[in-house]
Amino acid sequence: MKILVLNGPNLNLLGTREPEIYGYETLADIETEMKGVFPDVDIEFRQTNSEADLITWIGETRGRFDGIIINPAALTHTSLGLYDALKAVSDAVPAVEVHLSNTHTREEIRHKSLTAGACIGQLMGFRGFGYTLALRALVHRLQS
Ligand code: DQA
């Protein structure tokens, strides 16, 4: 099983970025944790600050990946293009949206996700551990 894990803008700064909200784990820590818990899953982990990269990468998943875990970061709240990209492959490559923080407890602008409607589910508020939980849910769905 091959899973693409996508991370959007500013998530490269995890570890030092507002740790009271996002925790002290870096993206590399999260990647190591996921690969440790799921050694049999082929996990490809990527981060970009570019919306275009994310859209291109999602569009390339058909036939290459079985599923997507995505933290679109700020693009969650703004990107119809990302929603369209996820929707375009959703019949073959299901996605799970993950957020480190519980965005519903934060500024109102973060309460709405444009991208979640193109995903099979959404998981938030468990910091880095949420990625492993999201992968567990995705693997379960792919195997059922
Ligand atoms: C985030 C929440 C977003 O609102 C924010 O823009 C991020 C991170 C999260 O993981 O909690 O960059 O996606």
Side-chain angles (χ1 to χ4, degrees):
M1 186 181 296
K2 204 163 155 69
I3 303 295
L4 181 61
V5 183
L6 294 176
N7 295 279
N10 300 308
L11 293 174
N12 54 314
L13 303 177
L14 283 186
T16 57
R17 178 192 179 196
E18 299 182 273
E20 66 286 359
I21 295 175
Y22 299 116
Y24 288 94
E25 261 187 303
T26 64
L27 220 44
D29 293 334
I30 293 171
E31 179 177 0
T32 302
E33 182 181 322
M34 290 178 92
K35 289 181 174 173
V37 175
F38 290 93
D40 297 335
V41 177
D42 186 354
I43 298 170
E44 192 164 322
F45 204 92
R46 300 184 197 165
Q47 189 276 332
T48 177
N49 292 325
S50 157
E51 180 177 7
D53 283 349
L54 287 172
I55 290 171
T56 301
W57 291 344
I58 291 166
E60 291 170 349
T61 55
R62 186 181 292 273
R64 295 188 190 166
F65 290 91
D66 299 300
I68 299 169
I69 304 281
I70 183 165
N71 183 346
L75 297 171
T76 305
H77 318 296
T78 61
S79 180
L80 192 57
L82 214 44
Y83 168 85
D84 284 346
L86 289 164
K87 197 80 183 161
V89 299
S90 61
D91 60 310
V93 195
V96 175
E97 181 169 305
V98 65
H99 297 283
L100 297 141
S101 63
N102 179 353
T103 60
H104 295 293
T105 64
R106 302 180 64 195
E107 307 97 306
E108 201 176 339
I109 198 168
R110 297 183 200 277
H111 295 183
K112 170 91 185 142
S113 169
L114 289 188
T115 43
C119 298
I120 57 169
Q122 189 193 42
L123 209 146
M124 62 166 70
F126 299 99
R127 297 195 170 167
F129 183 52
Y131 281 68
T132 298
L133 294 174
L135 183 54
R136 176 79 190 90
L138 183 56
V139 167
H140 181 265
R141 174 63 67 93
L142 289 169
Q143 287 174 340
S144 62

